[in-house]
């Protein structure tokens, strides 16, 4: 689920190991301006990050509807209520009330943040309801939780590490046309195969393997973002700033492109979780080809930026992706 234009980035080209320097080389006359920018960034983090958290949990409140109405019943009631007409009406009313409340409280750009976070929270909550039911839809509930959490956490982590770059695009909901087509294709495949080959969707050990891949991939990607810190940016940067330094510690000591590696295995894991053989093959090939081209393109810039330091790092640490060595440099 990748595209050729929009990708995760850490200051310079996407998913590269940079961290903000301590600033000791800066001139004293720049210190005041830097503190001013930092303070503004902090205010933005407190406001938008906090609003997104509140809205996400308001959306998650859908899980309380069947709990309140059927407290004390067997776990099987959850899906029965959730899929019944009363449950659907109750959830629709709840979402409408929450959206109306957000519209009253927040205006303009802040309302747009709240709406998106609330939508993702609602999707996560519905995924939880489905996940804890003893039905044939359980694994799709896992998928809903994985997908919604991925998109929300992209925004929240960006708000924490680099609020100056924070925007609605940080949710990655409008990542690209290709990304949307890939997501919809996986939903269609799951539904069609569930109707035609229902036994295919009940391979529990396969779905558990996919869940493990998703959790590991998500963890690696977010670790890379946190390690990159304030240099992380969802918009690819092609110019080296004076404050950027090459970082080879943390997760970058194990692979040169940990954010890409995490996203690669996360995306494949979602299809293993859904037991989608067609999309599994398509996701694997498309993601591998995209990252191969992107890494080669980025490493040209890295060599230009850091010269022998990056070449030495490149010789010691692999990209982390199978059969993708990166740009080849002749001695």
């Amino acid at each position: 689920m990748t595209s050729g234009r929009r990708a995760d980035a850490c200051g310079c080209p996407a998913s590269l190991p940079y961290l903000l320097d301590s600033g000791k080389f800066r001139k004293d006359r720049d210190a005041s301006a830097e503190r001013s920018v930092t303070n503004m960034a902090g205010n933005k983090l407190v406001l938008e990050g906090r609003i997104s958290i509140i809205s996400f949990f308001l959306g998650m409140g859908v899980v309380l509807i069947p709990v309140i109405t059927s407290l004390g019943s067997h776990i099987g009631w959850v899906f029965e209520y959730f899929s019944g007409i009363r449950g659907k009406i109750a959830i629709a009313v709840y979402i409408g009330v929450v959206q109306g409340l957000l519209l009253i409280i927040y205006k303009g750009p802040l309302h747009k943040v709240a709406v998106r976070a609330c939508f993702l929270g609602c999707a996560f909550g519905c995924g939880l309801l489905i996940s804890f039911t003893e039905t044939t839809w359980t694994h799709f509930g896992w998928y809903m939780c994985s997908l919604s959490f991925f998109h929300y956490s992209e925004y929240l982590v960006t708000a924490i590490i680099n609020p100056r770059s924070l925007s609605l695009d940080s949710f990655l909901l409008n990542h690209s046309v290709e990304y949307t087509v890939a997501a919809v294709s996986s939903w269609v495949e799951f539904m069609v195969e569930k109707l035609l080959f229902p036994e295919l969707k009940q391979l529990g050990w396969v779905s558990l393997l996919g869940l493990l891949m998703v959790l590991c991939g998500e963890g690696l990607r977010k670790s890379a973002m946190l390690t990159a810190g304030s240099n992380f940016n969802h918009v690819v940067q092609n110019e080296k700033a004076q404050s950027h330094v090459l970082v080879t510690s943390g997760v970058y000591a194990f692979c040169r492109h940990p954010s890409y590696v995490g996203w690669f295995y996360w995306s494949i894991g979602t299809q293993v979780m859904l037991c989608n053989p067609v999309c599994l093959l398509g996701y694997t090939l498309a993601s591998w080809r995209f990252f191969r081209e992107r890494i080669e393109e980025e490493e040209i810039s890295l060599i230009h930026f850091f010269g022998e330091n990056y070449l030495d790092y490149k010789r010691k640490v692999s990209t982390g992706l199978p059969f993708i060595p990166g740009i080849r440099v002749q001695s």
Side-chain angles (χ1 to χ4, degrees):
M1 296 173 67
T2 56
S3 71
R5 291 305 307 161
R6 188 182 296 277
D8 58 325
C10 303
C12 285
S15 185
L16 300 178
Y18 297 110
L19 280 177
L20 190 62
D21 188 33
S22 63
K24 59 183 178 181
F25 61 89
R26 291 191 180 96
K27 296 181 179 179
D28 291 340
R29 61 186 173 83
D30 294 330
S32 177
E34 180 67 21
R35 284 194 297 269
S36 176
V37 172
T38 301
N39 289 336
M40 288 189 292
N43 291 335
K44 189 175 184 181
L45 168 62
V46 171
L47 182 59
E48 296 186 13
R50 206 196 229 160
I51 288 174
S52 73
I53 293 174
I54 294 172
S55 301
F56 183 83
F57 279 100
L58 278 175
M60 273 188 62
V62 296
V63 302
L64 299 177
I65 296 175
V67 173
I68 293 174
T69 57
S70 303
L71 188 63
S73 298
H74 186 268
I75 193 66
W77 58 262
V78 177
F79 188 79
E80 180 181 352
Y81 186 89
F82 182 69
S83 60
I85 185 64
R86 290 184 305 164
K88 292 178 180 178
I89 292 176
I91 289 175
V93 170
Y94 176 83
I95 295 175
V97 170
V98 171
Q99 293 294 345
L101 181 64
L102 294 177
L103 182 61
I104 294 173
I105 298 175
Y106 304 118
K107 302 296 182 182
L110 295 181
H111 178 252
K112 294 180 180 179
V113 171
V115 167
R116 285 160 175 77
C118 181
F119 165 75
L120 293 172
C122 180
F124 187 86
C126 290
L128 283 178
L129 285 175
I130 299 174
S131 297
F132 286 99
T133 61
E134 299 175 359
T135 72
T136 58
W137 290 89
T138 300
H139 302 149
F140 194 81
W142 296 359
Y143 170 80
M144 288 178 63
C145 290
S146 302
L147 187 64
S148 56
F149 181 79
F150 170 81
H151 284 285
Y152 175 68
S153 61
E154 288 291 305
Y155 185 89
L156 181 60
V157 173
T158 302
I160 294 172
I161 63 174
N162 190 10
R164 284 174 289 184
S165 70
L166 196 63
S167 70
L168 292 177
D169 289 339
S170 299
F171 283 108
L172 297 185
L173 290 172
N174 59 338
H175 182 279
S176 66
V177 175
E178 293 84 357
Y179 184 90
T180 302
V181 170
V184 174
S185 298
S186 71
W187 306 340
V188 172
E189 180 182 354
F190 181 86
M191 300 301 179
V192 171
E193 291 175 350
K194 191 175 187 306
L195 290 173
L196 300 179
F197 313 104
E199 65 282 356
L200 177 63
K201 303 304 179 183
Q202 299 309 306
L203 301 176
W205 67 272
V206 175
S207 294
L208 282 173
L209 175 61
L211 179 61
L212 180 62
M213 293 175 64
V214 165
L215 293 175
C216 292
E218 177 79 357
L220 180 58
R221 177 170 170 80
K222 294 308 182 288
S223 295
M225 292 173 66
L226 292 170
T227 302
S230 61
N231 285 298
F232 182 87
N233 196 314
H234 282 111
V235 178
V236 177
Q237 307 294 304
N238 293 314
E239 295 183 2
K240 178 180 179 295
Q242 189 179 20
S243 58
H244 288 152
V245 296
L246 182 65
V247 171
T248 59
S249 60
V251 291
Y252 290 97
F254 302 99
C255 56
R256 301 199 302 270
H257 303 273
S259 185
Y260 281 167
V261 174
W263 199 351
F264 178 79
Y265 286 108
W266 175 88
S267 64
I268 295 175
T270 60
Q271 300 313 298
V272 175
M273 183 191 301
L274 293 176
C275 299
N276 281 353
V278 176
C279 280
L280 173 59
L281 179 61
Y283 275 45
T284 302
L285 294 176
S287 297
W288 184 87
R289 181 177 179 180
F290 168 77
F291 287 126
R292 183 195 63 182
E293 295 175 353
R294 175 62 69 177
I295 286 174
E296 289 180 354
E297 176 185 339
E298 290 177 355
E299 291 195 339
I300 293 175
S301 296
L302 279 171
I303 294 170
H304 176 69
F305 293 162
F306 298 105
E308 190 60 35
N309 287 336
Y310 185 77
L311 289 174
D312 183 60
Y313 172 62
K314 174 178 164 58
R315 283 190 288 266
K316 296 177 181 178
V317 182
S318 68
T319 63
L321 290 169
F323 308 109
I324 300 181
I327 191 70
R328 298 183 183 276
V329 180
Q330 296 181 349
S331 301

